[in-house]
Structure formats: structure tokens, C-alpha cells
Amino acid sequence: MQATKERSVFEVPLVDATADNIKDYGVMIGAEVCRPGLGIPFYASVEEGQNLDFSYHGRAVVRTARISKRSSDLIWFERHLRMTQLFIGLGDQPFVMVLAKPNHEGGRSLPDFTDMVAFRLPAGHGVMIHKGTWHDFPMAIDKPVTVLTANSEEVVKALCAVSGPQEINDGDVFKIDVAARTGCTPRVPF
């Protein structure tokens, strides 16, 4: 960690996402069929993949969001214990997901910086994060990118219900101001 006048800075490792290096955080979604071999016999020209382990509490929602370049300092980090969450970049631009491994089973209420990684996902790829994976909203690297996201209505309602940016502990949303809680600002080295 590098010290500054205000607070220390943690430079989050920036790596190219692969199915192998992201597996402790979620499942990479890309050009390859995920878990091929589902036996639907109607089209010989289709390689069917097994159902993804997407889970949620209440009603599932699918939406899009357009993200533009922002500060490389992370302010917010959140986790959901009753759902997985899916983020897929649409179009021709890569994006970054900053993730930290789930640690709720150990009773932790803060992300572990030693498990925090900024994964660069290629254009047209995404990740379905595991329950409890700490994450920030996707970050554009250079140009804007639209992401397709699937989560729960409960989470979207809780995020929309606040009057402004603030910590949330409501239903399946536990969102923290990571620097205020830890004294350290995570930064993606773009």
C-alpha cells in the first residue's frame, strides 16, 4: 500500500480475465459454451450448454446499463448473499470488474484486499459472480460500454430507494464505502 495525505491507496492488480483465474469469484461467460453437453435433440448445428447456476431471491430482473470512464479509485463495494449476479459486456469494448472473494462464511463484513482483483473482460464477455462475491459496478476502460446485468428485483429496489450515494444494508444489499470502513482506497491502475 502506498500512503497519501488523506488515506492509504491499495493498487488493485489488473489482470486479463480467464475462466481459470476468475473461478473463485464467478463463472466467466464468453465465446465458448459454458459446460457443453445438454441433450436437446432438435438442431444438430447447436451446441447446448448446461443451465448456469443463476440464483436469486424473489423475482429475477434483467436490464442494461451504459457505463462510461470514471475515476480509477473505488468508493463503493457490495455483496449479495441470496443471489448470483450476471454482468455481460455488449458490443466491441472490454470492461473491468473489481472483485474480492466471498468471505461471509468466515463472518467477515469487509472485503479482503489480498483477494481483490480488477479483471479485464474482453468485449462480448462477462462474469456471473458467486453469492457473496464483493464487487463494484463494472468500469469502462476507455470508451463507453453497455452491460447486460441479471439480478433480483429486491436488489434493484433497494439501490433505487436511497436518496443519494450512501451505505446500504437492506435485504440482500450490503454496500459499503470501502475507504471510510478500511482507511484505504482501492485504485485500478488504468
Side-chain angles (χ1 to χ4, degrees), residues 1-181:
M1 278 187 239
Q2 172 187 356
T4 65
K5 284 184 179 179
E6 294 129 18
R7 53 182 89 222
S8 62
V9 172
F10 173 73
E11 194 139 312
V12 181
L14 177 62
V15 302
D16 290 327
T18 66
D20 189 53
N21 69 8
I22 208 168
K23 69 183 176 192
D24 291 337
Y25 305 84
V27 176
M28 187 157 172
I29 309 297
E32 300 296 320
V33 173
C34 190
R35 297 183 359 226
L38 184 62
I40 297 177
F42 293 94
Y43 303 98
S45 62
V46 176
E47 180 182 19
E48 297 281 357
Q50 304 292 327
N51 293 342
L52 297 173
D53 294 326
F54 179 68
S55 61
Y56 55 91
H57 178 257
R59 181 174 167 261
V61 294
V62 179
R63 63 188 181 86
T64 58
R66 183 84 164 156
I67 56 176
S68 297
K69 193 167 182 173
R70 61 178 178 173
S71 169
S72 61
D73 289 354
L74 300 179
I75 299 170
W76 306 105
F77 234 46
E78 66 186 76
R79 69 178 180 197
H80 313 289
L81 301 181
R82 296 192 296 218
M83 75 163 185
T84 57
Q85 193 169 12
L86 177 68
F87 298 94
I88 299 175
L90 305 176
D92 62 356
Q93 294 301 308
F95 69 100
V96 166
M97 285 290 304
V98 179
L99 305 173
K101 292 179 185 176
N103 60 6
H104 56 283
E105 290 181 0
R108 303 277 316 268
S109 60
L110 294 173
D112 186 338
F113 281 67
T114 63
D115 291 333
M116 193 178 292
V117 178
F119 290 100
R120 184 178 21 241
L121 290 129
H125 288 62
V127 61
M128 183 178 69
I129 60 175
H130 301 311
K131 288 180 181 177
T133 296
W134 288 96
H135 62 286
D136 192 16
F137 206 74
M139 301 175 81
I141 295 170
D142 185 32
K143 296 179 181 175
V145 61
T146 298
V147 293
L148 176 74
T149 182
N151 59 32
S152 72
E153 184 176 59
E154 171 188 28
V155 167
V156 174
K157 282 184 176 182
L159 294 169
C160 290
V162 295
S163 59
Q166 61 186 297
E167 290 194 347
I168 304 171
N169 189 2
D170 183 10
D172 197 25
V173 178
F174 183 54
K175 187 176 195 86
I176 63 166
D177 179 330
V178 70
R181 294 267 185 139

